[in-house]
Amino acid sequence: MPAPTDVEVFELGDVVLQHGATLRDARLAYQTYGTLNADKSNAIVYPTWYSGRHTDNEWLIGTDKALNPDEWFIIVPNMLGNGLSSSPSNTPPPYDRARFPHVTFFDQVECQYRLVTDHFGITTLPLVTGWSMGAGQTYQWAVSHPEMVQRAVPFCGSSVTAPHNRVFLESIAAALRADATFAGGWYRDDAWPTTGLRAFARVYAGWGFSQAFYWQEEWRRLGFSSLEDFLIGFWEAFFLDERDPNNLLAMIWTWFHGDVGQTPGFGGDTVAALNSIRCPVLAMPAEKDLYFPPEDEQWASQHIADGEVRVIPGVWGHFAGGGQNPDDTAFIDQGIRDMLAREV
């Protein structure tokens, strides 16, 4: 599916990133759902995930959901690197393609903060929530701007990228780079590294869902007739969906280096950063998530003054947060509903 065109763009100008590069004429693509009320007190930030676009977040938004656009003004910012906001694929030289600068979760949130405050004039956020890398941004919001965030609900994600998670990220990046046509990131439009992308997808397939998901052939519920049909029709199709390889690698770098302890002022101390969170945090890891297992969030929660962990049951692994299993969607929606009902 081509990238959506129904998107607003906030012009950021020149952004000095945490690692020192200046991303000139930076752009933050976003979409909103609902109407901002008169006192600007009903805004929710719901960031995107790895390679996801704002339209990929819409499964959790609706009049029958906790994120009800009749009640809330929901802002979905597209991550830098996802192909809609400033990315390797749309940035002019010298920071185009393989030279796109490193972007941290801190950088992502600072750009979103400018959208929320400078563009919309919002000073308080009743909720920040997100899946996967969206969860990493949720934690970052709570650390970077505790004066604004009233509640946080990260699901299937973490405040710091664990070593085992990094092993996965190294493996998919290596699969993509091994394609000779990748050419160090300077591949030609007429020589797309399709072999590398297919290998990338095959490695990803072993991590996105759990062992039990495959044992029980849950992929049949998604309309696939065999395991090979699923690997091609779901996984390969997903990453051959006009997703630019350099964009994928840029977002891998962000994910790999995720750590709220790298927020300025904390000197790499993740625990101190978690200690600084003022708002209630409901983390919802999936029971069999191979990237972000529940024990990682239980570790983080003990360092948050008002932290809670609810484990999403079932076998869908990381994709419990992807909106494709109604039971998992209902569980996540209920957690958000419960948090929004809390007095803060």
Side-chain angles (χ1 to χ4, degrees):
M1 179 187 300
T5 56
D6 62 326
V7 67
E8 303 291 332
V9 174
F10 177 57
E11 301 290 347
L12 293 159
D14 295 349
V15 174
V16 179
L17 299 168
Q18 193 173 15
H19 280 252
T22 298
L23 187 58
R24 291 168 177 83
D25 298 321
R27 295 155 55 88
L28 184 65
Y30 68 95
Q31 188 54 276
T32 63
Y33 306 80
T35 303
L36 187 61
N37 61 14
D39 63 1
K40 302 185 177 183
S41 63
N42 69 331
I44 289 171
V45 173
Y46 178 21
T48 56
W49 39 273
Y50 180 73
S51 84
R53 302 144 178 165
H54 60 277
T55 50
D56 296 314
N57 279 13
E58 291 177 348
W59 62 271
L60 198 54
I61 300 170
T63 55
D64 61 335
K65 300 289 196 303
L67 299 184
N68 182 351
D70 288 348
E71 182 178 0
W72 302 102
F73 181 63
I74 303 146
I75 306 168
V76 181
N78 288 271
M79 284 198 302
L80 300 179
N82 85 334
L84 294 180
S85 294
S86 288
S87 304
S89 62
N90 61 24
T91 296
Y95 280 129
D96 60 323
R97 298 186 286 172
R99 294 294 276 174
F100 192 74
H102 294 321
V103 177
T104 64
F105 279 123
F106 174 79
D107 295 323
Q108 301 279 5
V109 167
E110 289 310 286
C111 291
Q112 295 167 23
Y113 174 79
R114 287 182 52 195
L115 170 69
V116 169
T117 58
D118 295 351
H119 183 63
F120 288 113
I122 295 165
T123 59
T124 186
L125 293 170
L127 176 73
V128 180
T129 189
W131 174 45
S132 195
M133 284 185 78
Q137 292 165 86
T138 298
Y139 277 111
Q140 187 65 59
W141 262 103
V143 171
S144 289
H145 298 288
E147 76 289 352
M148 288 187 68
V149 181
Q150 296 180 331
R151 304 168 186 83
V153 181
F155 54 98
C156 302
S158 67
S159 60
V160 58
T161 302
H164 189 236
N165 197 330
R166 290 180 172 183
V167 170
F168 156 70
L169 295 171
E170 290 277 18
S171 68
I172 55 174
L176 182 54
R177 291 184 173 119
D179 188 332
T181 61
F182 180 71
W186 300 101
Y187 44 88
R188 304 193 315 270
D189 289 342
D190 62 347
W192 204 253
T194 302
T195 299
L197 283 166
R198 291 188 185 279
F200 180 101
R202 293 279 174 146
V203 176
Y204 222 116
W207 288 74
F209 294 93
S210 75
Q211 296 95 331
F213 175 93
Y214 285 103
W215 182 258
Q216 297 174 20
E217 298 187 349
E218 289 289 307
W219 37 263
R220 294 190 184 276
R221 293 175 56 187
L222 295 173
F224 297 96
S225 54
S226 67
L227 179 58
E228 183 68 7
D229 186 42
F230 178 59
L231 294 177
I232 295 173
F234 182 92
W235 284 105
E236 291 189 17
F238 185 88
F239 287 110
L240 291 170
D241 185 16
E242 298 187 6
R243 285 170 168 81
D244 185 277
N246 280 322
N247 292 351
L248 294 174
L249 290 170
M251 290 181 286
I252 284 174
W253 193 96
T254 303
W255 180 349
F256 187 98
H257 292 89
D259 182 357
V260 293
Q262 297 302 320
T263 306
F266 293 102
D269 190 336
T270 307
V271 171
L274 292 169
N275 286 163
S276 75
I277 295 175
R278 301 178 196 169
C279 69
V281 176
L282 171 60
M284 289 190 285
E287 180 182 352
K288 295 184 181 297
D289 193 329
L290 300 179
Y291 311 127
F292 306 102
E295 52 265 39
D296 288 0
E297 296 319 284
Q298 289 158 354
W299 172 83
S301 183
Q302 68 181 323
H303 300 298
I304 299 171
D306 192 354
E308 178 187 354
V309 176
R310 292 187 198 174
V311 178
I312 306 168
V315 303
W316 280 56
H318 187 61
F319 271 74
Q324 301 192 52
N325 180 15
D327 292 340
D328 296 334
T329 296
F331 189 99
I332 294 164
D333 182 67
Q334 187 61 53
I336 293 173
R337 193 177 302 276
D338 292 346
M339 280 293 277
L340 285 170
R342 283 191 56 170
E343 294 293 332
V344 291

